[in-house]
Amino acid sequence: MRKIVMFTYSIVAYLIAFGSILFWIASVGNLIPEIGIDQEPKMSVIWALMNNFLLIALFGVQHSIMARKWFKSLFYRYFPKPIERSTFVLISGILLFNLVYNWQPIGGQLWAIAPDSIWYTLIYVLFFVGWAILFISSFLINHFDLFGLRQTFLELMGKPYTQLQFRITLFYDYVRHPLYFGMLLGMWATPTMTVTHLVFAIAITAYVIIGTLFEEKDLVDEFGDTYKAYQAKKPMLVPFTKFKKGTARKSTLPKGV
């Protein structure tokens, strides 16, 4: 019964997290006008900026703390180990929904591409390509491990959990963190750039850069010289920005955080 409860918990966590990501995509892409990011301002610019800063800080601090090894060790003292990742995913999903839903518009417009323009279509193509890269990258790692389902499923089946191996395939042969690259491409590729969207994109970009630097340290600790060699050959976030001879193919893929 305990194992069934844990697996059910992980499914609920997954659905909430996945739903929050879809909500985020729909908002930043203005795919559903009622929840689009480019609404009319509801408060002064100062209060809106303070509100938004607190939202992004809460989201970023939670990710940074819960992804650290010391926090995981503390978690294992009081809760079953198989639900650690699901708990991270659940809280992340709730905070992401909170971030998007309560993000306050600021107003102002930097650019707007006419809907009947070819550039409008191309920008939206880049938008969807970015989010497609994010989702595909999660499956290249192991989508169900990344979202905590594999851990509780193995526990339910009475099988021991095995760490994912480090391997390089597809997008990971061009950039070390294609999942984050896809996220940033989806954030910045917009036919209408308002100040609201710009602040959101800058905040997410800053969080991704800082979070990735912490994650890189964990990956070096886990995979040692193998990951250092990978670092030396592949750029961190933007493909084709590091030019060195040699490739590192079909090695293994780092588990994303």
Side-chain angles (χ1 to χ4, degrees), residues 44-119:
S44 69
V45 173
I46 297 298
W47 282 108
L49 287 173
M50 289 177 61
N51 173 85
N52 296 344
F53 174 79
L54 289 174
L55 289 172
I56 199 72
L58 180 62
F59 181 74
V61 168
Q62 174 264 328
H63 270 64
S64 297
I65 291 178
M66 293 190 70
R68 304 283 71 79
K69 289 183 177 180
W70 64 264
F71 181 88
K72 295 179 182 182
S73 298
L74 182 64
F75 183 92
Y76 300 152
R77 293 182 188 177
Y78 304 100
F79 303 98
K81 189 173 183 178
I83 67 167
E84 180 272 324
R85 186 66 188 180
S86 291
T87 303
F88 173 86
V89 166
L90 174 63
I91 297 176
S92 297
I94 292 172
L95 290 180
L96 177 59
F97 180 84
N98 177 60
L99 171 65
V100 176
Y101 184 78
N102 290 305
W103 190 266
Q104 291 298 318
I106 300 170
Q109 183 172 282
L110 282 76
W111 71 71
I113 300 175
D116 58 351
S117 167
I118 184 63
W119 294 108

